Amino acid sequence: KLNSITGKTYRLPTEAEWEYAARGGNKSKGYEYSGSDKIEDVAWCIGNSGSKTHLIGTRKPNELRIYDMSGNVYEWCQDWYGSYSSSPQENPQGPSSGAYYVLRGGSWNDHDYTGRSANRNYYPSIRFNDLGFRLVLCP
């Protein structure tokens, strides 16, 4: 619907694109979470959220100045959930089909380790109060 309203093309990020952005891209400092090694600096999770979603940008951004890639709400990715390839790949794509989509980033309703940039989760395509999404604008 957004594509038809704006005349632009938006989509969900692939899992690889999401993780690259969460880790700070080519400006990465190697943090465990998106923007810090301390979860409380960058994320809302079960220990500090008060059991609710918070406004975007109320925690510190990562190296690319992107907010809330750790915690607050899990973010849908375009990829189906599956095992990673055993060989190195550049910008890998997930399986072409599956039962679950990839979720990344952790949420206000989960433990701090789920907000790690490396953490993966999955869910069927349903609505829930700690799931959200972030869009990529295609060239």
Side-chain angles (χ1 to χ4, degrees):
K1 188 170 184 175
L2 182 61
N3 292 346
S4 64
I5 292 170
T6 65
K8 297 179 181 178
T9 304
Y10 295 91
R11 63 172 173 79
L12 293 174
T14 66
E15 183 177 14
E17 289 169 334
W18 189 97
E19 187 169 337
Y20 182 78
R23 289 182 180 275
N26 60 5
K27 298 178 181 185
S28 178
K29 295 181 181 170
Y31 294 129
E32 183 174 12
Y33 303 99
S34 184
S36 180
D37 284 330
K38 297 178 184 174
I39 189 75
E40 61 274 3
D41 289 348
V42 293
W44 296 106
C45 57
I46 202 165
N48 67 2
S49 70
S51 299
K52 63 181 180 179
T53 303
H54 290 263
L55 292 175
I56 298 294
T58 56
R59 292 289 194 227
K60 196 173 122 183
N62 73 1
E63 299 92 327
L64 296 175
R65 309 278 316 144
I66 303 173
Y67 290 88
D68 296 290
M69 291 200 78
S70 290
N72 213 18
V73 294
Y74 275 107
E75 295 184 7
W76 292 106
C77 291
Q78 179 177 291
D79 299 348
W80 293 101
Y81 184 83
S83 298
Y84 285 151
S85 170
S86 59
S87 61
Q89 296 180 338
E90 187 172 315
N91 197 19
Q93 304 297 305
S96 58
S97 64
Y100 302 100
Y101 282 101
V102 173
L103 295 175
R104 299 297 295 261
S107 82
W108 61 264
N109 194 31
D110 221 331
H111 298 282
D112 58 357
Y113 67 86
T114 65
R116 290 174 36 250
S117 297
N119 191 66
R120 306 174 76 209
N121 207 334
Y122 58 91
Y123 231 75
S125 183
I126 63 168
R127 291 170 48 163
F128 201 69
N129 63 359
D130 69 345
L131 303 179
F133 61 92
R134 178 181 308 263
L135 296 175
V136 172
L137 175 60
C138 301

